[in-house]
Amino acid sequence: MLQIDLYTEISCPWCLVGQYRLDKVLRERFPKLATNIRHHPILLLSHVPATGLYIPDLLKKRYGVTDPKSSFTRVEGEALISGLKLDLNHQLYTYPTQAAHALIMAASEKGTQHKLAVAIIEAYFLDAKNIADVNILADIALSYGFERDEAISITTDPEWHTRVEYEAENSMLKGIRSVPHFVFGEQFEINGGRSEDEIAFAIEKALIKNQTLAR
């Protein structure tokens, strides 16, 4: 079994592409490989209001970008290379992600963590859902081993939010600054907008190392 640790921020489009590519590579190139994908939270914007922030305004204020489409083109193009149709004009708000991260963390005990994480990020980018809305999160979680009341309890619990923030801070202290950040076999790390070939190469390196250690 190959351990894969994945550090992501739900509101980051590169994380959507990275998770999509990881699943595609595993499905197409390593169909018989057993994996355990663990998700770890990263909070790129930790103080987003519950009502969200309008992304064009955020890009202009933070980066001086006056044409949001110019910032969207590259990631949309990369997504399309892997067969993912992504239109970032479809979701023009960024929302706080602590509640969603809490639910993803809780899903580790149910064995549905990776599938839930993918479902949430796709709901945000592809369906333009407000993933800070606990009712929307509960709707998604129903398909991944949660009862509605259980999901709402987790997403509204201040202790779970604190736990998310603690884990995110620990990730930053490890030096993880850009997302998505992949760790394969607890040894080989890559980050950012990596190609399918680069992801596959990192997996192969980790498998070779595991085989060497097993001898």
Side-chain angles (χ1 to χ4, degrees), residues 22-94:
L22 174 64
D23 284 343
K24 188 170 186 282
V25 166
L26 289 173
R27 181 175 64 252
E28 295 179 355
R29 307 194 195 189
F30 304 91
K32 296 182 180 180
L33 176 62
T35 61
N36 179 29
I37 303 175
R38 297 187 301 198
H39 282 256
H40 306 272
I42 295 290
L43 298 174
L44 295 179
L45 296 171
S46 58
H47 301 293
V48 178
T51 53
L53 292 174
Y54 187 54
I55 291 173
D57 289 345
L58 179 64
L59 290 174
K60 184 177 181 180
K61 182 177 180 180
R62 193 163 188 175
Y63 304 107
V65 175
T66 56
D67 178 16
K69 188 60 181 176
S70 65
S71 297
F72 298 163
T73 300
R74 184 186 171 208
V75 64
E76 288 173 344
E78 286 291 324
L80 193 58
I81 288 172
S82 291
L84 174 63
K85 294 181 179 179
L86 176 62
D87 180 0
L88 291 175
N89 284 296
H90 192 49
Q91 174 56 278
L92 289 176
Y93 282 84
T94 186

Side-chain angles (χ1 to χ4, degrees), residues 5 9-10 25 43 46 58 69 81 86 97 101 109 141 161 170 176 178 197-199 207:
D5 289 280
E9 171 58 290
I10 297 158
V25 166
L43 298 174
S46 58
L58 179 64
K69 188 60 181 176
I81 288 172
L86 176 62
T97 57
H101 279 302
E109 296 182 1
H161 286 226
N170 276 347
I176 298 170
S178 62
D197 286 343
E198 289 174 305
I199 292 172
L207 291 175

Side-chain angles (χ1 to χ4, degrees), residues 121-183:
I121 200 169
E122 288 185 350
Y124 172 68
F125 280 109
L126 305 185
D127 300 326
K129 299 288 188 180
N130 176 357
I131 44 80
D133 186 323
V134 297
N135 288 300
I136 288 174
L137 290 173
D139 287 342
I140 298 170
L142 288 174
S143 298
Y144 300 95
F146 290 88
E147 298 293 333
R148 172 172 288 277
D149 290 347
E150 177 189 15
I152 290 176
S153 176
I154 291 167
T155 54
T156 57
D157 187 346
E159 290 187 7
W160 268 106
H161 286 226
T162 298
R163 183 177 172 186
V164 167
E165 290 163 2
Y166 175 79
E167 292 295 331
E169 184 177 352
N170 276 347
S171 297
M172 296 292 283
L173 290 174
K174 292 177 183 177
I176 298 170
R177 296 288 186 270
S178 62
V179 290
H181 187 101
F182 304 85
V183 183

